[in-house]
Amino acid sequence: MHTSVSSRISVSEIVQLAALTAIMIATKEIMNLLPNIHLTTTFIILGAMLYGWKVLYAVFGFVVVQGLLYGFGSWFFMYLYTWPICAILAALFRHNRSRFFWAMFAGLQGLTFGALCSITYLFIGGVQTMLAYWVAGIPFDLIHGASNAVVAFILLLPLYQLVNKIRSQT
Amino acid sequence: MKQNKKRNIIIAVVAVAVIALMVIAYLTLKPSTQTGAKSITVVVTHLNGDAKTYEFRTDAEYLRQALEEQELVGGIESDYGLWVQTVDGETANEANEEWWGFTVNGEMGMYGVDTQPVTDGDSYEFTLNVGYDSY
């Protein structure tokens, strides 16, 4: 079943997207206990499936709140493009309902997270700094990719079905 | 359905290629380490300006192990290894935007303590900074 998405944002969608932002922040804070494991990517994909491009509102809300919580350091600029890129790509494939596809998608997001973040260091310290940052983080990116894939494989479609069920009852 | 199968195959191939690229890049570009007894110096500059110097020998390949052997650092595990919160008994007060940074032989550290290689003769200086703008 595909969810049709109007190009205009309704009041109901604003509330739902705000709730999605809150859930992403809450789960990220809780999952901080387990390094490199989080539900953010799965929730962004879920948002893209449910709201299409409008998931970007939730993503930017998430990024801004992260900045307010942890300060606007260099990582903030990384978040400004890494998460929106994930959301845009997820929105492009939002009609896909393959569990395997989304597990691979989320896995790739984790694998490439460090490489995408390292682009910021290209402007701070040049190619050497960018490469050093990326290479130093590769072991962590591999764990990040594997955990993202497992989390999305297990949770994404059940969450999608659950939210659709709730929406159809309201 | 056929298109979905094709997409699944393409994304799986891309994932395998990315993993292969990362493994190759890591094996060829990772910072080299030295094994065996190494003599290093760690200078800790506290918030009040007091500096303490520790000179010791270690077999550690990476800085975190060397510092933990001396019980010089503490912190929490983060996505990129140990997030250093305490050095030489002084804990950074995050409410006051305090944070520990370190230099390697006078240069700004490019790695975290987990991935900073230890080389014989290295000097590491940890300083408790105030304000995230000072990064």
Side-chain angles (χ1 to χ4, degrees):
Chain A
M1 183 176 70
H2 292 166
T3 310
S4 61
V5 179
S6 142
S7 60
R8 291 186 64 177
I9 190 162
S10 65
V11 174
S12 168
E13 281 176 325
I14 291 172
V15 173
Q16 290 174 43
L17 287 164
L20 180 64
T21 303
I23 290 168
M24 285 197 287
I25 293 160
T27 54
K28 186 169 183 294
E29 293 307 304
I30 294 164
M31 300 298 276
N32 275 346
L33 296 167
L34 303 168
N36 294 300
I37 301 173
H38 60 79
L39 305 179
T40 310
T41 308
T42 295
F43 279 119
I44 289 174
I45 297 169
L46 177 68
M49 283 176 159
L50 293 165
Y51 310 106
W53 304 101
K54 293 172 201 165
V55 71
L56 283 166
Y57 290 109
V59 169
F60 280 112
F62 167 75
V63 173
V64 169
V65 173
Q66 289 294 302
L68 293 170
L69 285 173
Y70 294 107
F72 295 90
S74 58
W75 65 269
F76 179 75
F77 295 99
M78 301 167 186
Y79 270 33
L80 272 178
Y81 60 87
T82 49
W83 294 118
I85 285 173
C86 172
I88 289 166
L89 290 173
L92 278 175
F93 296 106
R94 65 182 180 275
H95 298 305
N96 197 315
R97 295 292 175 268
S98 162
R99 188 182 282 252
F100 177 81
F101 176 86
W102 288 116
M104 288 294 106
F105 181 96
L108 275 170
Q109 194 277 337
L111 290 172
T112 56
F113 192 77
L116 280 172
C117 287
S118 72
I119 293 169
T120 297
Y121 284 94
L122 178 67
F123 301 102
I124 294 173
V127 176
Q128 286 298 321
T129 308
M130 183 184 88
L131 272 178
Y133 178 88
W134 175 53
V135 171
I138 283 176
F140 306 105
D141 289 337
L142 290 169
I143 301 168
H144 188 184
S147 66
N148 264 8
V150 171
V151 168
F153 188 83
I154 295 170
L155 289 181
L156 182 64
L157 292 188
L159 278 173
Y160 176 75
Q161 284 155 4
L162 178 69
V163 175
N164 260 342
K165 194 175 170 187
I166 294 167
R167 289 171 105 197
S168 66
Q169 288 171 350
T170 53
Chain B
M1 188 64 90
K2 199 175 175 184
Q3 198 186 12
N4 270 354
K5 196 175 175 186
K6 197 176 164 187
R7 276 187 186 157
N8 285 354
I9 293 169
I10 291 170
I11 201 165
V13 170
V14 171
V16 170
V18 169
I19 291 169
L21 174 73
M22 290 169 77
V23 170
I24 292 166
Y26 186 72
L27 293 176
T28 53
L29 299 174
K30 72 172 179 176
S32 57
T33 61
Q34 259 184 2
T35 52
K38 290 166 275 194
S39 176
I40 63 171
T41 305
V42 175
V43 180
V44 182
T45 305
H46 289 273
L47 193 61
N48 62 8
D50 286 352
K52 277 191 191 170
T53 302
Y54 297 88
E55 289 179 16
F56 53 91
R57 301 186 76 83
T58 180
D59 286 325
E61 285 192 77
Y62 294 99
L63 186 56
R64 177 178 178 171
Q65 188 191 337
L67 296 170
E68 286 182 340
E69 284 169 1
Q70 304 296 319
E71 297 183 349
L72 273 174
V73 291
I76 56 170
E77 298 298 333
S78 76
D79 287 350
Y80 292 95
L82 184 71
W83 177 14
V84 175
Q85 293 177 309
T86 304
V87 181
D88 193 29
E90 182 164 17
T91 300
N93 183 350
E94 285 164 23
N96 292 341
E97 297 193 355
E98 292 174 12
W99 55 279
W100 282 102
F102 73 96
T103 60
V104 183
N105 300 321
E107 303 282 334
M108 189 72 176
M110 289 180 38
Y111 306 102
V113 290
D114 282 66
T115 47
Q116 172 61 51
V118 173
T119 309
D120 188 31
D122 269 351
S123 175
Y124 306 96
E125 181 167 356
F126 283 79
T127 305
L128 185 54
N129 301 284
V130 182
Y132 296 131
D133 293 338
S134 57
Y135 175 71

